Structure formats: structure tokens, C-alpha cells
């Protein structure tokens, strides 16, 4: 998830809102600089190290990390591996010699593959919130939901108002003549939100109809770019581009709020969203599985969960976590996002991308 350093989002990365995120690069760099220690322990609450394998957009504050270490007596060693797709691949390839004790950042696009490969061992946290249980990847107990977010089309409200064009609402609207040449999305082969949007169209129109929908979009002047940054910061009209409809996140409008906090200049089309869930799991064969369990307990706790919206720009699963006021006012959670069974995604992801590329890119 390289987006926090303003790089293009890549496949398997997670979804983030449209904001200038350069400042967070320092936080990520610090998180990634921890070095592994050899004096791991298999005793809960004892001295030693717990190795936490994460994607490179994982953010934890110094205060939260210190709190974990004080509570457990363990040193948290954070090991970054690249974006979410790279994380999943590395965990599968190293399952017989795991990279650490616990992993965070496997999302619903890759969850089934990792579970089927035996990457994780079952663990149910005694502090698991109800929503985390509801968002379970399957019934194996191998993965624990930590956060979730929704990839959605966003619109520039001011553009539609000033041009006297009725704002679109649904996916079908984008194929209508009045919205010709107005939409920019990202390539599912190179972009996480692009992949999520592809899943949304499969979920909405089925395997027999999603390519027909994409053909209609293409016929209506759809623009496809490689990464989220290009779409939002180059082509979107709020950044000086000529496309007032862009693929982004349900949380993005919380970051285009006016100075007085009374309004936002963009909005998410909540009928176009695809939900992504991010999981943590104890790695099979870990040197310190008890420490890994303690990490999961901590990730579900109120302190870390309250950091998730501002640190990783997604929603926490703990209902007691603090949510920024801008999110409550301008980034509501979609009531009925499009969803696909993780097992179906795992089985068909590459074929869908291949077929999409042949149909849309040629």
C-alpha cells in the first residue's frame, strides 16, 4: 500500500482515501526500520520478541507500540514485506519457514488462498468484537478481521452543480450519454481499488454480464489509468483534471471538507461500493505463537482501533474505537456494499483480470 508516500497503488494494496499523505511516509519508514531479534520467547507475557509481518502501509503510533510492550513484556518487531499482494505471496512461499509470529494485512482478495495453503493456525481472540466475527473470512478461525473499508466511485459535487448535470447514483448511470467522457478508474491488474471495482462489477452483474458492462463503460468514454494517484490527483476535476467521476474510497469525502468543517466538495456513490476487509492471523510454525495471539488481542483493542481511521484510513471493527467527526458527517459506511465470497475471488481473480484486460485494454 504505497499510497501513503504518494506512489501509485498496486494490486493487493489496500484502499485509502484521497488525501495528501506524504507526511505519513515518515511513520511508515520508522515502522519498517525495526530489526529482528533472535531472543524470541514462546511464553506469554515474558521477555522476548514477537515478530509482526505486515504490508508496508501498516501504521502504529509510538504510543500504541509502547503500550503493547509494557502490557506484554514483549518487544514488537515490525517486518514490512511490500504491498498486500506481496505480503500474501511471501507468506504462502515461506509457510514452511514463517517470516514471523503473526501477520497483519491479508485482505479479502487473498484470504482464502492463504488459509487454504495452511499459512495460519486457528485462534479466536477473547476480546474479538461482534463486527469482527461478522466479517470473518470463513469458519476456519484462522484469520481475525481487524478493519474494513469500501472502494467507491467519488464525484466532484461542485462540478455537477456548476455544469447543471444531475449527479449519477448507480453503476448503470455511468453508461448513460449524459455521463460520457466523465469517468476515470484504475486498472485492476495494477491497482488495488481497480481490482476492488472489478469485483464490484462481477458482484453486481455476474460473470455473464460484467464484461458487457465494461464494454458499455468503454463505449461511453471511460478512461483507465494505472494507479489511484494518477486518477485522483491528475484526472479528477478537483485536482484540475477533466473527469468529475473518479474511483476512490467511501472515506475520501472526509478529506475534502471545507475549512469551517460545514461541508465537503466531494461525495461517494454508496451504491457503487465494494467492501474490503483486512485480517490478522497467527502464523503456523511460529516461534512465538502466544506472542502472536497477544498481538491480535492488542490490534482489536480500543487504543489501536482508534488509530486506524487516521493512520490507515479505514474503519475499525471495535465499536468503542474513536471515529473522527469528519468521518461521521461525511464518510458514512455504505449500507449494502457489493460483496463476493473470498473463496470465489481466490478461484477466479486471475481469470477475471485476464478477461478484463483482453476486453477493455485489448
Amino acid at each position: 500500500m504505497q499510497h501513503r508516500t504518494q506512489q501509485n497503488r498496486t494490486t493487493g494494496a489496500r484502499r485509502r482515501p484521497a488525501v495528501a499523505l506524504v507526511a505519513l511516509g515518515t511513520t511508515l519508514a520508522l515502522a519498517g526500520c525495526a530489526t529482528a531479534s533472535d531472543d524470541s520467547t514462546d511464553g506469554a507475557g515474558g521477555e522476548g520478541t514477537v515478530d509482526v509481518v505486515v504490508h508496508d502501509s501498516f501504521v502504529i503510533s509510538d504510543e500504541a507500540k509502547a503500550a503493547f510492550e509494557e502490557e506484554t513484556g514483549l518487544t514488537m518487531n515490525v517486518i514490512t514485506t511490500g504491498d498486500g499482494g506481496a505480503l500474501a505471496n511471501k507468506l504462502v512461499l515461506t509457510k514452511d519457514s514463517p517470516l514471523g509470529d503473526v501477520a497483519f494485512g491479508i485482505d479479502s482478495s487473498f484470504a482464502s488462498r492463504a488459509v487454504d495453503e495452511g499459512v495460519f493456525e486457528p485462534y479466536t481472540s477473547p476480546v474479538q468484537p461482534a463486527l469482527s466475527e461478522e466479517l470473518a473470512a470463513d469458519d476456519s478461525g484462522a484469520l481475525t478481521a481487524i478493519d474494513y473499508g469500501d472502494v467507491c466511485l467519488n464525484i466532484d459535487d461542485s462540478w455537477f452543480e456548476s455544469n447543471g448535470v444531475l449527479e449519477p447514483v448507480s453503476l448503470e448511470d455511468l453508461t448513460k450519454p449524459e455521463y460520457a467522457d466523465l469517468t476515470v478508474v484504475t486498472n485492476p491488474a495494477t491497482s488495488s481499488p481497480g481490482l476492488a471495482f472489478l469485483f464490484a462489477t462481477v458482484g453486481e452483474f455476474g460473470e455473464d454480464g460484467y464484461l458487457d458492462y465494461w464494454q458499455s463503460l468503454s463505449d461511453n468514454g471511460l478512461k483507465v489509468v494505472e494507479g489511484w494517484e494518477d486518477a485522483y490527483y491528475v484526472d479528477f476535476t478537483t485536482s484540475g483534471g477533466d473527469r468529475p467521476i473518479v474511483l476512490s474510497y467511501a472515506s475520501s469525502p472526509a478529506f475534502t471538507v471545507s475549512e469551517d468543517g460545514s461541508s465537503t466538495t466531494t461525495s461517494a456513490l454508496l451504491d457503487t461500493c465494494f467492501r474490503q476487509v483486512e485480517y490478522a492471523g497467527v502464523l503456523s510454525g511460529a516461534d512465538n505463537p502466544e506472542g502472536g495471539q497477544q498481538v491480535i488481542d492488542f490490534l482489536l483493542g480500543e487504543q489501536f482501533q482508534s488509530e486506524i481511521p487516521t493512520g490507515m484510513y479505514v474503519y475499525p471493527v471495535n465499536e468503542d474505537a474513536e471515529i473522527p467527526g469528519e468521518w461521521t458527517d461525511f464518510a458514512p459506511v455504505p449500507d449494502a456494499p457489493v460483496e463476493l465470497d473470498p473463496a470465489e475471488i481466490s478461484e477466479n481473480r486471475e481469470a477475471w483480470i485476464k478477461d478484463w484486460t483482453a476486453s477493455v485494454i485489448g
Side-chain angles (χ1 to χ4, degrees):
M1 287 182 281
Q2 290 80 6
H3 44 283
R4 288 201 185 86
T5 53
Q6 293 298 329
Q7 300 173 32
N8 289 342
R9 302 172 190 235
T10 55
T11 300
R14 303 199 346 46
R15 48 278 170 243
R16 298 293 180 260
V19 287
L21 303 175
V22 174
L24 288 174
T26 302
T27 305
L28 290 173
L30 291 173
C33 287
T35 56
S37 170
D38 290 331
D39 79 333
S40 302
T41 180
D42 60 2
E47 294 181 357
T49 296
V50 58
D51 293 326
V52 185
V53 187
V54 301
H55 55 54
D56 56 11
S57 285
F58 174 73
V59 173
I60 183 171
S61 70
D62 292 340
E63 293 78 11
K65 186 171 181 287
F68 169 82
E69 294 178 342
E70 182 176 357
E71 291 172 10
T72 64
L74 296 168
T75 297
M76 179 185 290
N77 178 37
V78 178
I79 302 170
T80 56
T81 58
D83 64 35
L87 170 64
N89 289 334
K90 289 178 181 178
L91 292 178
V92 169
L93 291 173
T94 61
K95 64 181 181 179
D96 295 327
S97 182
L99 298 174
D101 302 304
V102 62
F104 166 84
I106 294 286
D107 72 22
S108 43
S109 300
F110 298 92
S112 289
R113 179 192 175 200
V115 171
D116 291 344
E117 292 283 352
V119 170
F120 300 100
E121 65 176 32
Y123 173 65
T124 301
S125 171
V127 297
Q128 185 177 23
L131 181 55
S132 179
E133 295 182 39
E134 292 176 17
L135 295 175
D138 53 35
D139 58 4
S140 70
L143 289 170
T144 301
I146 303 297
D147 60 56
Y148 66 99
D150 297 280
V151 173
C152 313
L153 290 163
N154 278 217
I155 60 173
D156 178 354
D157 297 304
S158 58
W159 185 94
F160 284 94
E161 181 178 358
S162 62
N163 285 274
V165 178
L166 187 67
E167 294 181 352
V169 174
S170 67
L171 291 172
E172 291 89 344
D173 284 346
L174 304 188
T175 66
K176 297 177 180 178
E178 56 264 41
Y179 303 111
D181 303 320
L182 299 185
T183 303
V184 57
V185 301
T186 50
N187 189 328
T190 58
S191 160
S192 176
L195 185 59
F197 188 58
L198 175 61
F199 294 158
T201 62
V202 173
E204 184 71 16
F205 301 105
E207 286 198 73
D208 294 332
Y210 81 98
L211 289 177
D212 291 336
Y213 173 74
W214 278 97
Q215 186 60 58
S216 296
L217 282 181
S218 298
D219 292 344
N220 208 37
L222 176 72
K223 184 174 184 178
V224 178
V225 297
E226 292 303 291
W228 170 86
E229 184 185 61
D230 289 337
Y232 203 97
Y233 287 122
V234 177
D235 293 295
F236 195 30
T237 47
T238 61
S239 301
D242 60 2
R243 303 268 168 163
I245 306 172
V246 66
L247 186 64
S248 197
Y249 299 87
S251 54
S252 297
F255 296 89
T256 57
V257 177
S258 60
E259 289 187 8
D260 64 3
S262 63
S263 62
T264 183
T265 59
T266 66
S267 58
L269 304 184
L270 299 184
D271 289 339
T272 69
C273 301
F274 182 82
R275 174 148 299 164
Q276 292 179 309
V277 182
E278 197 160 60
Y279 301 95
V282 178
L283 293 171
S284 297
D287 290 334
N288 187 2
E290 291 84 1
Q293 294 173 5
Q294 289 178 290
V295 169
I296 292 178
D297 296 345
F298 185 78
L299 295 179
L300 292 171
E302 186 174 346
Q303 180 175 7
F304 180 77
Q305 288 278 303
S306 294
E307 294 185 353
I308 286 175
T310 54
M312 295 190 286
Y313 305 106
V314 284
Y315 274 95
V317 296
N318 189 328
E319 63 180 10
D320 294 325
E322 182 178 349
I323 303 295
E326 292 85 358
W327 286 52
T328 302
D329 295 337
F330 303 114
V333 177
D335 292 330
V338 179
E339 296 177 299
L340 286 175
D341 187 308
E344 183 180 2
I345 291 175
S346 180
E347 181 180 353
N348 297 290
R349 178 178 54 249
E350 298 308 318
W352 290 338
I353 293 173
K354 180 180 178 181
D355 292 344
W356 178 92
T357 301
S359 177
V360 178
I361 303 299

